[in-house]
Amino acid sequence: MGGPDDVTLRRSQLATPGSDPKMIERAPDSGADEAFIDLEDSVAPSEKIEARENAIEGLIEYDWSDTRPCYRMNGVDTRWFYDDVIEVVGRAGEYLDTIMVPMANNPETVATVDNLLTQVEANNDLPVGEIGLQAQIESPEAMTKVADIARASDRLESLVFGPGDYTANVGAAGLTIGSGGGYPGHYWHYQLARIAHAAKAQGLQVIDGPYAEIEDAEGFRDSCRWASQLGCDGKWAIHPSQIEPANETFAPSPEEAEKARRIVDAYAEAKEQGRGAVSVDGEMVDEATDKMARGIVARAERAGIL
């Protein structure tokens, strides 16, 4: 379980259709912290097998050293799921960081993928357990069982909210994914807070899903900011223009990072002197504040801000 100093940046997750080789080629140099090659919703049934081949080729051929490589498999209730794991991991597993599991409606779904993945790793002489999982919370069942899902596998690294399918599954009003236009407040406050509580209890990250109004830059920034305030670590980018604002919003500002460092330094000095609290910039700092500040410093250092 990760602590405040254990930081993996997932400020931006670039959605990359597996049916588009050009987009796969550009993904590693996009500036996103992570890119997932999508074999699920963005790929038509007639293109599933070709998209899988595109994903394998893209993972092998391109340099992913600056962007974490992930792919989103098809759901466990589809006829493509089995080969999505067998073929992609079997042929390109050494280049892979994580697999995104859609419609992770219950812990059994995550366990099913984990068990199959373990066999594929073993049969292909890959380190067993090294490939991580990210589970999408997209249904009322998943939201109800989210705490159990967060505990379902040691491979889990994040929970990802899927507002599109969730909206459809609960019958909520709206046709624009992720926006909640007209709602008097943060449309997804309850859902993201619930996911965040379950995820953080297990040391997992939380990623907010897509914001479909690509030309609404300010709305996207608002969505990032609200998610960040609820404990999310990043957000999907469904267009390259959304990468930079996500990276900025889910990282500390230079001013916040400098203040956090002053707090860490001042509290360390206070502890050496046998004191449990100290004043920094007119604010009382204790152990809880120090823990928050160390998390900010770690994220700032990882993002190159400090």
Side-chain angles (χ1 to χ4, degrees), residues 53-227:
E53 292 296 319
N54 292 339
I56 293 168
E57 181 179 343
L59 289 167
I60 295 172
E61 293 296 323
Y62 304 127
D63 180 1
W64 295 89
S65 56
D66 293 329
T67 299
R68 289 179 175 271
C70 172
Y71 77 93
R72 180 166 69 162
M73 50 173 266
N74 286 282
V76 298
D77 59 347
T78 70
R79 60 192 177 101
W80 301 288
F81 139 69
Y82 181 82
D83 284 335
D84 282 350
V85 179
I86 297 289
E87 292 292 324
V88 180
V89 176
R91 294 163 57 188
E94 63 184 291
Y95 306 98
L96 184 64
D97 189 58
T98 58
I99 300 172
M100 190 178 297
V101 182
M103 287 295 174
N105 293 332
N106 46 59
E108 292 79 14
T109 296
V110 177
T112 295
V113 179
D114 187 341
N115 290 336
L116 177 57
L117 181 53
T118 294
Q119 297 304 314
V120 178
E121 287 172 331
N123 288 335
N124 289 276
D125 297 321
L126 296 169
V128 174
E130 189 166 286
I131 297 172
L133 296 177
Q134 302 187 58
Q136 282 195 275
I137 307 301
E138 305 183 84
S139 71
E141 179 186 1
M143 197 66 67
T144 300
K145 299 177 180 179
V146 66
D148 293 330
I149 293 168
R151 295 190 292 264
S153 169
D154 290 339
R155 294 180 185 269
L156 276 173
E157 297 186 14
S158 76
L159 299 184
V160 182
F161 180 47
D165 279 304
Y166 185 83
T167 297
N169 285 325
V170 300
L175 288 173
T176 303
I177 295 175
S179 67
Y183 186 79
H186 182 199
Y187 197 55
W188 302 115
H189 180 281
Y190 168 78
Q191 290 80 7
L192 287 176
R194 184 181 178 101
I195 294 170
H197 289 170
K200 301 300 180 172
Q202 301 302 317
L204 307 180
Q205 293 186 314
V206 183
I207 309 300
D208 192 14
Y211 187 87
E213 295 183 83
I214 295 171
E215 295 183 0
D216 182 11
E218 189 58 34
F220 179 76
R221 283 187 179 274
D222 286 342
S223 184
C224 290
R225 186 168 63 251
W226 295 332

